[in-house]
C-alpha cells in the first residue's frame, strides 16, 4: 500500500491560531516523512521532515508529531500568520522504493488577518 | 544562482501536437523527477531518472516520454497520446541518502 492520506482538504485559521494537518499511511516500510509548502504558481519547497525514531520535531513555529503505532503524523503551525497561507503536502518514502516520494493530496491553508 | 530551471512557464498545445517541457539543474544532483499536479490530487510521478542514460516509469507514464542524455537535463515530452494534458508540471532533483527533493517553479500546460 503506497497511499498517504491527508486531511483536511482545506483549512481556515485566524491569525495567531494553531493550524493542524494530519496524514496517515499504511506502508510500514516508510521511514522518512517530509512536509512540503507550496505557494500559488510555485514549486513545493521542503518545510520540515522527520524519521520514525523520534516522536516530535520542531523548527521554529512548525512541529511534526509522529505516532508510529498509529501510522499517523501531523504538522502543527503555531501562531499562524497570513504569510503561511499556502498548500501543504505530506509525503513519505522508503529505501525499498528507491526513495521515491509518495505525496498526500494536499491541504490548502488560509490564515485570516 | 543554484537551482532547478523549468521552461517555459506557460505552454499551449494544439490537438495532435507533441510538446517538450525543459528542466535543467545545476545542483549536481544524480536523480531527477517529473510530476504532474492536478487540483485536489497532489503530485503524481510521471518518470524518474537516477542516473544519466537511464530512466523509469512512474505511476502515470502513459502519453509521456523523457530522455536523460546529460546529468543536468531531463526534458519531458507530452505526446499526442496524452488525451488530458492540461496540468501543472513539476520537475525535481535530489541526491543523498534521504532523497530530499528540490522542485522547479513548474510549467503550466493548457490545450488550445
Amino acid at each position: 500500500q503506497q497511499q498517504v492520506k491527508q486531511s483536511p482538504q482545506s483549512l481556515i485559521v485566524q491569525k495567531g491560531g494553531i493550524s493542524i494537518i494530519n496524514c496517515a499511511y499504511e506502508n510500514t516500510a516508510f521511514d522518512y516523512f517530509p512536509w512540503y509548502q507550496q505557494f500559488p504558481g510555485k514549486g513545493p519547497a521542503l518545510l520540515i521532515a522527520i524519521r520514525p525514531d523520534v516522536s516530535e520535531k520542531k523548527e521554529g513555529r512548525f512541529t511534526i508529531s509522529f505516532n508510529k503505532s498509529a501510522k499517523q503524523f501531523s504538522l502543527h503551525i503555531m501562531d499562524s500568520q497570513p504569510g503561511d497561507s499556502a498548500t501543504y503536502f505530506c509525503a513519505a518514502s522508503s529505501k525499498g522504493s528507491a526513495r521515491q516520494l509518495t505525496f498526500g493530496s494536499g491541504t490548502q491553508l488560509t490564515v485570516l488577518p | 544562482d543554484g537551482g532547478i530551471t523549468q521552461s517555459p512557464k506557460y505552454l499551449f498545445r494544439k490537438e495532435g501536437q507533441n510538446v517538450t517541457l525543459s528542466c535543467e539543474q545545476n545542483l549536481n544532483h544524480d536523480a531527477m523527477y517529473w510530476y504532474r499536479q492536478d487540483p485536489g490530487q497532489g503530485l503524481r510521478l510521471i518518470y524518474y531518472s537516477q542516473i544519466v542514460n537511464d530512466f523509469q516509469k512512474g505511476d502515470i507514464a502513459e502519453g509521456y516520454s523523457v530522455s536523460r542524455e546529460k546529468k543536468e537535463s531531463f526534458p519531458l515530452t507530452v505526446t499526442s497520446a496524452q488525451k488530458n494534458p492540461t496540468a501543472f508540471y513539476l520537475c525535481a532533483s535530489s541526491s543523498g541518502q534521504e532523497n530530499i527533493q528540490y522542485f522547479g517553479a513548474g510549467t503550466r500546460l493548457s490545450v488550445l
Side-chain angles (χ1 to χ4, degrees):
Chain A
Q1 304 291 341
Q2 294 293 316
Q3 195 174 15
V4 176
K5 294 183 179 178
Q6 183 171 347
S7 63
Q9 190 172 0
S10 62
L11 181 61
I12 299 174
V13 174
Q14 292 286 343
K15 179 182 175 182
I18 302 173
S19 304
I20 302 174
I21 303 170
N22 301 299
C23 286
Y25 63 97
E26 291 294 327
N27 187 351
T28 54
F30 285 147
D31 62 356
Y32 178 65
F33 302 88
W35 284 88
Y36 283 82
Q37 179 188 55
Q38 183 180 29
F39 293 104
K42 305 291 185 184
L46 179 66
L47 187 63
I48 188 173
I50 197 168
R51 287 196 166 274
D53 51 350
V54 297
S55 60
E56 187 174 282
K57 183 174 181 180
K58 185 175 180 180
E59 289 185 4
R61 296 184 293 109
F62 299 91
T63 300
I64 300 178
S65 297
F66 188 84
N67 185 329
K68 189 173 181 179
S69 60
K71 291 185 283 187
Q72 295 175 347
F73 58 110
S74 59
L75 176 69
H76 296 235
I77 306 174
M78 311 300 286
D79 187 27
S80 299
Q81 299 296 312
D84 296 331
S85 297
T87 300
Y88 293 81
F89 292 96
C90 61
S93 72
S94 67
K95 270 189 187 177
S97 66
R99 287 274 169 229
Q100 290 176 47
L101 287 174
T102 299
F103 286 88
S105 56
T107 296
Q108 188 168 2
L109 172 65
T110 302
V111 181
L112 300 175
Chain B
D1 208 9
I4 301 170
T5 301
Q6 288 188 242
S7 62
K9 192 175 175 76
Y10 300 97
L11 186 58
F12 297 91
R13 192 191 89 167
K14 294 179 183 177
E15 195 168 336
Q17 185 183 40
N18 293 352
V19 293
T20 297
L21 285 61
S22 171
C23 178
E24 303 277 335
Q25 55 102 355
N26 62 4
L27 300 169
N28 199 34
H29 286 170
D30 291 314
M32 297 187 73
Y33 307 80
W34 274 105
Y35 292 91
R36 170 177 171 142
Q37 185 174 24
D38 295 282
Q41 292 193 46
L43 280 69
R44 292 184 290 168
L45 183 64
I46 304 173
Y47 268 99
Y48 67 101
S49 167
Q50 294 182 287
I51 196 169
V52 174
N53 291 323
D54 188 46
F55 48 82
Q56 284 79 40
K57 293 181 180 180
D59 300 320
I60 56 164
E62 186 174 348
Y64 301 97
S65 66
V66 293
S67 62
R68 186 87 186 276
E69 298 175 2
K70 298 187 300 181
K71 188 175 184 177
E72 303 79 22
S73 178
F74 191 40
L76 173 75
T77 297
V78 183
T79 74
S80 57
Q82 173 49 249
K83 297 306 179 187
N84 182 24
T86 297
F88 190 48
Y89 290 87
L90 288 159
C91 177
S93 70
S94 72
S95 70
Q97 195 173 7
E98 291 183 333
N99 189 32
I100 297 174
Q101 293 190 18
Y102 299 89
F103 287 82
T107 292
R108 190 165 297 281
L109 175 62
S110 302
V111 176
L112 287 176

